Amino acid sequence: MSPTISHKDNSRQRRPGNFSHSLDMKSGPLPPGGWDDSHQELVGGEGDREAFLRDTGTGDFSKPPRSCRAELSSILLLLFLYVLQGIPLGLAGSIPLILQSKNVSYTDQAFFSFVFWPFSLKLLWAPLVDAVYFRNFGRRKSWLVPTQYILGLFMIYLSTQVDRLLGNTDGRTPDVVALTVTFFLFEFLAATQDIAVDGWALTMLSRENVGYASTCNSVGQTAGYFLGNVLFLALESADFCNKYLRFQPQPRGIVTLSDFLFFWGTVFLITTTLVALLKKENKEVSVGKEETQGITDTYKLLFAIIKMPAVLTFCLLILTAKIGFSAADAVTGLKLVEEGVPKEHLALLAVPMVPLQIILPLIISKYTAGPQPLNIFLFSLSHKLKCYHSSIYVKEKIHIYSFIYTYIYTHRIYLGTVTLYSMYVSIMAFNAKVSDPLIGGTYMTLLNTVSNLGGNWPSTVALWLVDPLTVKECVGASNQNCRTPDAVELCKKLGGSCVTALDGYYVESIICVFIGFGWWFFLGPKLKKLQDEGPSSWKCKRSN
């Protein structure tokens, strides 16, 4: 069994013939959601054809639409795969809170935030996932199964090293560089799994039910993130376990990070084996809906997608849409930990909202499944900015309990849950709506990774700017400052202490909110107008 990458003279693999449909009873009907290539139009020279989203309203002789119940097993499998995907995300999301409790700088936090960038950079290797595979094993399983096996083994190995990296064994400061590299590789594997699952969703589900893929993504990742973040931080906390789960106090929590990693590594290995043995890919649909290209051609096609005016405009708008609340999203939780709020308490604030986070995508999916899903995105964005505007307190000293009150009721419940998930599901629905299944993994991954990058790069910049924008004064020692770590140590040696005169968090929060309102007023209408673009604006031009 060899990989399907048997390159010919022009470094591309052999493409299957056109999957055309006629009224000849021998040919049979198109598979559910199949594509009709019998009416391709020439767009240029000989051999240049255009793969387009079929208009389901005209001339469709395919099978009757399949109901959601008929594909329930596939939907549940997708949901489970996205839950597994959320575990690494949740674990990586818990590390900044652990680091903040160990008094690392915001510059170090900004460096660690690169851990979350693989989901924004997976576009770089998505064509490989689309083009290289074992035909007999399955196009998506060729990547999904080995990636999840490596993830499981990596988690088991990391369980033996993570305490040393966090400085728990020898009392040293955390090795932020080593932690960043380690968890970056961790998230790289999770991002590769996401590419395979996103592409498989387009062929696992019929065209009528493919919209449920975004719901599975949102609900599954939410549940997985909850398990890897909220549940872990609660069970890892000795205070929480002693107060709520034990009759006699113990010096440590029920689980440690190493225990948690070992457990889920084992789960990954077992469940991946079951998927490899029991789930078969629909090869008929794969041939009809996804034509396989060589690596070189796929990268060329990727650049062709990016250069399309509609796609390029969408990317530029999404890359800048989340600047307005980047400071609050990235820094607020760390500020609370810095002020003394236990990290497990902060995580537990999300517990009452988890049912809403799971149910909300199901509720709004009937609105995002329509022709204008981005209306939900713009509506939610405006309300999110208004809530941030009402919750910013520009004061040098603010009582922490007042700040927590505002954070809980404004940021976490209303803004953090309703608006955030509404924006997420609407973008996912729009991406699924316009993606071309002929190159499903690459096209949808392009749009999804740009959406992720639009949230990651502002968060990294916001974390990095906190320290430079913060003004500290040395009180108790004359002619001293606190501009550098060495100056801080000198101030303390001379009997002084560094006091924050101006917190950079509040400075950049105000700046970000002004930028956010400017984006909503001037660029929001341009994003909304993209929904009026016809199917031809999203067609992928390919060469035979």
Side-chain angles (χ1 to χ4, degrees):
M1 186 168 59
S2 59
T4 307
I5 187 172
S6 52
H7 294 121
K8 297 293 182 180
D9 296 337
N10 57 353
S11 298
R12 68 182 293 180
Q13 62 194 74
R14 185 177 60 187
R15 293 174 54 193
N18 287 344
F19 189 83
S20 59
H21 173 68
S22 67
L23 291 178
D24 185 2
M25 296 302 293
K26 294 181 180 180
S27 67
L30 282 170
W35 286 44
D36 188 350
D37 290 343
S38 60
H39 302 289
Q40 289 179 334
E41 297 177 358
L42 295 176
V43 287
E46 181 180 358
D48 290 336
R49 297 181 183 274
E50 197 173 57
F52 60 98
L53 293 172
R54 189 181 66 180
D55 185 358
T56 58
T58 59
D60 190 359
F61 296 98
S62 62
K63 292 181 180 179
R66 300 184 66 182
S67 66
C68 170
R69 185 170 300 178
E71 296 187 310
L72 183 60
S73 60
S74 296
I75 292 175
L76 291 177
L77 175 59
L78 280 178
L79 181 64
F80 173 74
L81 292 175
Y82 281 121
V83 169
L84 290 182
Q85 186 183 120
I87 299 297
L89 294 174
L91 286 172
S94 67
I95 299 300
L97 297 179
I98 296 175
L99 293 177
Q100 194 68 14
S101 66
K102 296 178 179 293
N103 299 318
V104 302
S105 67
Y106 284 96
T107 303
D108 287 335
Q109 291 282 12
F111 185 72
F112 184 82
S113 70
F114 282 105
V115 162
F116 304 101
W117 280 57
F119 271 81
S120 301
L121 300 175
K122 60 185 179 180
L123 174 68
L124 300 178
W125 65 94
L128 294 175
V129 179
D130 255 3
V132 182
Y133 63 96
F134 294 92
R135 184 181 299 276
N136 293 334
F137 189 53
R139 183 173 190 175
R140 303 306 174 185
K141 287 172 62 178
S142 296
W143 286 91
L144 178 70
V145 172
T147 298
Q148 290 195 170
Y149 271 131
I150 296 173
L151 264 171
L153 295 173
F154 188 80
M155 294 172 80
I156 292 175
Y157 173 75
L158 185 57
S159 68
T160 66
Q161 304 294 321
V162 69
D163 287 333
R164 179 182 60 84
L165 296 177
L166 288 173
N168 295 335
T169 57
D170 50 12
R172 297 180 181 178
T173 57
D175 190 343
V176 177
V177 174
L179 282 170
T180 302
V181 173
T182 301
F183 277 88
F184 185 90
L185 295 175
F186 194 30
E187 298 303 292
F188 170 82
L189 293 171
T192 303
Q193 187 252 22
D194 181 59
I195 298 172
V197 176
D198 283 347
W200 199 2
L202 295 177
T203 54
M204 186 185 300
L205 301 180
S206 65
R207 192 65 179 171
E208 293 81 10
N209 294 321
V210 74
Y212 287 101
S214 64
T215 302
C216 291
N217 186 310
S218 178
V219 175
Q221 281 194 6
T222 298
Y225 191 92
F226 172 81
L227 294 174
N229 185 277
V230 178
L231 182 64
F232 161 69
L233 290 174
L235 297 181
E236 186 261 351
S237 169
D239 291 337
F240 176 84
C241 294
N242 292 336
K243 186 175 181 180
Y244 297 105
L245 303 177
R246 289 176 175 151
F247 294 105
Q248 293 185 357
Q250 300 290 333
R252 50 174 286 180
I254 294 178
V255 300
T256 63
L257 181 54
S258 60
D259 296 333
F260 206 77
L261 284 167
F262 183 84
F263 170 79
W264 282 107
T266 304
V267 171
F268 264 79
L269 295 180
I270 295 174
T271 55
T272 301
T273 301
L274 295 177
V275 172
L277 296 177
L278 302 179
K279 181 63 178 178
K280 305 297 182 182
E281 290 193 39
N282 191 335
K283 295 182 179 180
E284 180 186 16
V285 175
S286 297
V287 172
K289 293 175 72 174
E290 296 184 291
E291 293 188 16
T292 304
Q293 287 196 324
I295 299 175
T296 303
D297 289 333
T298 305
Y299 276 105
K300 290 180 180 179
L301 183 58
L302 177 61
F303 287 112
I305 296 171
I306 297 176
K307 291 189 296 183
M308 290 192 298
V311 175
L312 182 60
T313 301
F314 175 79
C315 291
L316 293 176
L317 292 174
I318 291 300
L319 283 174
T320 55
K322 299 179 182 179
I323 295 178
F325 31 83
S326 58
D329 281 347
V331 187
T332 301
L334 301 179
K335 272 294 176 183
L336 291 174
V337 174
E338 179 184 340
E339 293 293 340
V341 178
K343 59 183 182 299
E344 63 274 10
H345 291 182
L346 192 62
L348 287 173
L349 294 178
V351 173
M353 293 178 287
V354 169
L356 181 59
Q357 291 173 343
I358 295 176
I359 295 173
L360 183 63
L362 302 175
I363 297 175
I364 67 174
S365 61
K366 65 179 180 179
Y367 301 104
T368 58
Q372 295 186 320
L374 293 182
N375 288 356
I376 299 294
F377 178 88
L378 293 171
F379 177 81
S380 301
L381 184 143
S382 65
H383 281 69
K384 191 170 185 178
L385 288 172
K386 292 173 184 176
C387 288
Y388 271 128
H389 174 70
S390 65
S391 62
I392 292 178
Y393 288 83
V394 190
K395 295 182 180 179
E396 296 181 6
K397 295 181 181 180
I398 180 169
H399 198 275
I400 184 62
Y401 295 109
S402 175
F403 184 49
I404 292 177
Y405 181 90
T406 303
Y407 179 77
I408 293 175
Y409 288 94
T410 303
H411 176 77
R412 298 289 291 181
I413 293 180
Y414 176 74
L415 187 143
T417 302
V418 179
T419 59
L420 178 63
Y421 276 81
S422 297
M423 293 170 63
Y424 177 75
V425 175
S426 64
I427 285 293
M428 290 292 296
F430 181 79
N431 293 347
K433 176 176 176 287
V434 301
S435 292
D436 184 345
L438 290 180
I439 48 165
T442 301
Y443 202 122
M444 192 168 180
T445 296
L446 166 64
L447 301 182
N448 288 344
T449 51
V450 168
S451 300
N452 290 331
L453 184 61
N456 283 344
W457 79 262
S459 296
T460 297
V461 173
L463 286 167
W464 181 79
L465 287 175
V466 172
D467 287 337
L469 292 176
T470 298
V471 178
K472 293 185 177 181
E473 299 177 349
C474 181
V475 178
S478 59
N479 298 325
Q480 297 297 324
N481 60 66
C482 298
R483 297 175 183 173
T484 64
D486 293 336
V488 172
E489 292 298 326
L490 181 59
C491 176
K492 293 180 179 179
K493 289 181 180 180
L494 296 177
S497 61
C498 289
V499 177
T500 300
L502 179 63
D503 197 326
Y505 165 64
Y506 300 112
V507 175
E508 64 176 347
S509 292
I510 295 176
I511 296 174
C512 286
V513 167
F514 276 107
I515 294 176
F517 277 115
W519 187 99
W520 186 71
F521 280 113
F522 296 106
L523 299 182
K526 296 183 180 295
L527 182 67
K528 185 177 181 180
K529 189 176 180 181
L530 285 177
Q531 300 175 118
D532 300 327
E533 296 284 347
S536 60
S537 299
W538 308 97
K539 294 176 184 177
C540 300
K541 297 181 180 179
R542 310 178 71 199
S543 298
N544 281 333

